[in-house]
Amino acid sequence: MRGYLVSSISAACAAALVLPLSLTAGAATGTDPEREIPGTTRSLPLEPLGPAATDRSFGSVVQGLPRRDVAPFSLLGLVWEDAAAELEGTVEVRTRSLADGAWSPWQQVETHNADHAADPGTEESAAGRVRGSTAPLWVGPSDGVEVRVKRADGSSHPLPEGLRLDLVDPGDGPGADPAPAAGDRAGGGGGDGEEDGSAPGDAEGDGEEDGSDPGDADGDGTDADGTGTTAGPGTGTAPAPGTVLPALDRSDTEAAAAAGGTLGFDVTAAQPHIGPRPAIVTRKGWGADESLREKTFVYTSTVKAAFVHHSATGNNYTCQQAPSVLRSIYRYHTVSSGWRDIGYNFAIDKCGNIYEGRAGGVARPVLGAHTLGFNTNSTGIAVLGTYSSSNPPQAAVTAVAQLTAWKLGLHGVDPKGSVTLVSGGSGKYAKGAKVTLATIAGHRDGFATDCPGGRLYGQLGTIRTASAALQGR
């Protein structure tokens, strides 16, 4: 289990200190306590702000931080200790660019984030380290920040106690961006492609943890710890070994899945409909610090549906920065929110590059923390960005179709079909409720939320059709 250094900061020094939140040295990770871990998380407790902070366009500010200089960071979010407490209010921030020293306009931070979480009653949800948090917001390299928070109009609920601002520096990545060009995603590629969706030590697929390290037992190009073993496809500049799981054409995908035991159905009784495996940037490829996550993996029985999300981190990133965005979200989910790993099973950037998310093997049914109440027997895919009022790029829409055609196909799932799932308890469906959903659903279908944003949600019909076509249906 990870131990966190929880800093207690008095009001007198709160305005002067920016303290790093770090893992306790060497705590149950087997890592060298002297080894420098890339990336940092720093915390600033919010302060009561008086009438002078009130802005006519914003309203009466209750808490916040006056404009100040800080160590460089690229992503931020608000955190509090009580995971059950809701932040009923508005949070706005502005930041100073490290590149040109210019201050940004005020930007809103999504306050309702509890719907992206482990299911109630699971070990991850019950862990004492889990905290309440807003959605993270990517602001790019910055060295100044200002925050203002107000209660929702008419709300009698106080703000959560112990509000703090967490500033995340993703650190340096593994080198050049390992992501392949979108045109290299479907078809072609090398590697042995052997896949095995079984969970070592969890033959029944009952969701029990497995702390063993089988290496690349499934031959899917990633070790169970997500570090990767297969070199990527040739795209002019070959990625470093282990950074990209290469694409396979459909026939090679089906043959590899059948040979590796990944299929979630009897191939002798049903015609396989598996989309070509797309190229996937591994955790090693985007620079995941494996010391931040839990060492064990948790698997669910199968994959019956895919939930599509937007990360709500904003669209102000380049595709070259996408690995940094992902490292920042990962660090925020683990260090700030207290989750066992990044919540999403996969992520997709605006250029259509696909990334491995939660560790455990991309071909395996890894239990995520992405859709409260419906993480069991599903996979979660986050498109990096915010798509409430902005259209998702076509490359990202295409990548969702390609990924779901492969991932759902491994379990005999029709992307244009429907499935009945049992709710684990959410803000929309009571625990135990049987809910019929599309096999490619939006987060809002399982929880009362805007996610994945109206513009991305409006593309799900197109995604289902394209995904089914890739499966040969």
Side-chain angles (χ1 to χ4, degrees), residues 220-428:
D220 66 358
T222 56
D223 290 343
D225 65 1
T227 56
T229 58
T230 305
T235 58
T237 302
T243 60
V244 178
L245 175 62
L248 298 176
D249 62 24
R250 187 178 167 196
S251 61
D252 286 345
T253 297
E254 291 182 357
T262 297
L263 295 177
F265 62 95
D266 183 359
V267 70
T268 64
Q271 171 68 30
H273 291 281
I274 310 172
R277 187 185 68 189
I280 301 172
V281 179
T282 66
R283 290 171 65 92
K284 179 179 180 180
W286 54 264
D289 179 354
E290 301 298 345
S291 71
L292 297 181
R293 63 169 176 84
E294 290 291 333
K295 297 301 111 178
T296 55
F297 313 115
V298 182
Y299 297 93
T300 187
S301 299
T302 185
V303 175
K304 297 181 178 180
F307 284 97
V308 178
H309 304 257
H310 66 174
S311 63
T313 47
N315 303 322
N316 187 29
Y317 73 93
T318 67
C319 293
Q320 285 291 112
Q321 291 176 318
S324 294
V325 176
L326 204 52
R327 290 196 304 279
S328 298
I329 295 173
Y330 170 49
R331 176 171 276 275
Y332 187 79
H333 282 180
T334 54
V335 177
S336 299
S337 299
W339 298 357
R340 64 180 297 116
D341 196 346
I342 190 170
Y344 307 115
N345 297 101
F346 298 93
I348 295 173
D349 69 24
K350 62 175 65 175
C351 290
N353 298 302
I354 300 171
Y355 301 84
E356 176 184 14
R358 183 165 285 209
V362 294
R364 299 176 179 176
V366 178
L367 181 67
H370 49 83
T371 306
L372 184 67
F374 294 97
N375 292 304
T376 299
N377 295 337
S378 72
T379 192
I381 302 167
V383 180
L384 299 179
T386 304
Y387 300 106
S388 300
S389 57
S390 298
N391 291 325
Q394 184 57 49
V397 172
T398 299
V400 176
Q402 292 170 333
L403 178 58
T404 53
W406 171 69
K407 185 68 176 179
L408 294 180
L410 294 176
H411 298 272
V413 176
D414 183 349
K416 293 196 295 184
S418 61
V419 64
T420 299
L421 300 176
V422 179
S423 172
S426 73
K428 190 171 184 177

Side-chain angles (χ1 to χ4, degrees), residues 141-166:
S142 305
D143 63 357
V145 68
E146 183 176 3
V147 184
R148 59 188 186 185
V149 183
K150 71 171 183 177
R151 285 194 295 266
D153 294 338
S155 174
S156 59
H157 293 281
L159 296 174
E161 293 185 4
L163 282 175
R164 70 176 193 241
L165 176 71
D166 274 15

